[in-house]
Amino acid sequence: MRVLRLTARTATVLLAALCTVAMSAGAASAYVYTDIIDFNLTETTHTYGTYSISGVGDNSAYYRWVDDPAHSTVISGNSCIDLSLYGKSTIPAHDVAYHWLFTGSPYQCFALRGRTATGAGPMSYYDGRIQR
Amino acid sequence: MSAWRRWLIVVVVVVVGAAVSAGQHGHGAAAAAADDAATLQSRQLAAAPALAGGGGEELDGRRAAALAADLATRVPLPAGGNFNGIQWGDLDGTIGAALVQEVVEYNAACQWYRALRDGRGVADARRVIVDLPGWQGIRGHATGDLAAGVAADVAAGGGDVLTGVLRQCDAAHQREVAYAAANGKAGER
């Protein structure tokens, strides 16, 4: 009987743990996505627009190229309040995976900025996507 | 009715009339005073036409700072506020003229949010915060959406957007004061 009670207790704990993991996984997979159309880059950093960290993701901002990028690029997020740099990522040519830019907090506003690598030349009319 | 009673009624009517008149005049003066420069500037920004598309001319940090200084004369701030903490001097590359205005206006928004939270110029802050989502530079952008969320939360007495935005405003305030000091300027209150 004691063994049975322990087993039931253990099962309850395991079930609760599984639920927690499932809920965490569900929360982590919920993001807001925004398409970035015609992000025209040169070797000089410039800004595409402003966005905010959603209240449903992992409080981070990520960027990926949807169009296969011909050049290595540097994508960054800066504060909408004082333009300080929150974070940036160098994305190699032909890499269309998401790249982490920075981790912040819900409703944090950032300006999406970007440039091509030094010596790479311009890259025009490429589409990307923000995960936030 | 005796003469003295008639005179008493006349005196009472005159005194009451004068008091009512003074009260109305005082109320009008108070309302006019409340409609101060900050409120008027805020309303002007909210009534200003939408900026032309395309983001405007690309400016380096020095030219962006010059444009921001010009815009600053039209953007209301709470007492003790300034724009000395925006990091134009550290800007890598260029920034569009429209975004310069958006940054200046959202910077001002943060100063109003902190003023309201800290109990400084509360009446002005409440009026400006209602206008903010419609200000010319932030209208239709992420900053405008956040300003609308904050205004709704302020009206409701609090909320997640207000809390989240204030957290960012406080963090930025610390950076701005340090940046201004490093450049020999006064930090915002």
Side-chain angles (χ1 to χ4, degrees), chain A residues 44-47 50-52 79-84 86 105-109 111 113 115, chain B residues 58 87-88 91-94 99 102-103 106-107 110 142-143 146 160 167-168 172 175-176:
Chain A
T44 300
T45 306
H46 81 275
T47 309
T50 54
Y51 306 89
S52 64
S79 166
C80 300
I81 305 169
D82 67 344
L83 289 176
S84 61
Y86 285 146
S105 58
Y107 309 109
Q108 180 172 350
C109 183
R113 313 193 77 221
R115 65 173 174 83
Chain B
E58 287 289 319
Q87 300 183 13
W88 305 114
L91 183 70
D92 176 31
T94 62
L99 189 65
E102 186 178 354
V103 169
Y106 196 59
N107 185 288
C110 262
T143 46
L146 290 168
D160 290 346
R167 182 185 300 127
Q168 295 308 313
R175 294 192 301 265
E176 290 177 69

Side-chain angles (χ1 to χ4, degrees), chain B residues 38-90:
Chain B
T39 307
L40 291 174
Q41 281 188 317
S42 176
R43 287 177 184 163
Q44 285 168 355
L45 280 174
L51 293 170
E57 186 182 1
E58 287 289 319
L59 308 169
D60 61 17
R62 185 183 57 79
R63 294 178 66 205
L67 174 60
D70 179 51
L71 291 168
T73 61
R74 288 177 271 152
V75 178
L77 285 174
N82 64 51
F83 296 107
N84 293 339
I86 302 176
Q87 300 183 13
W88 305 114
D90 290 349

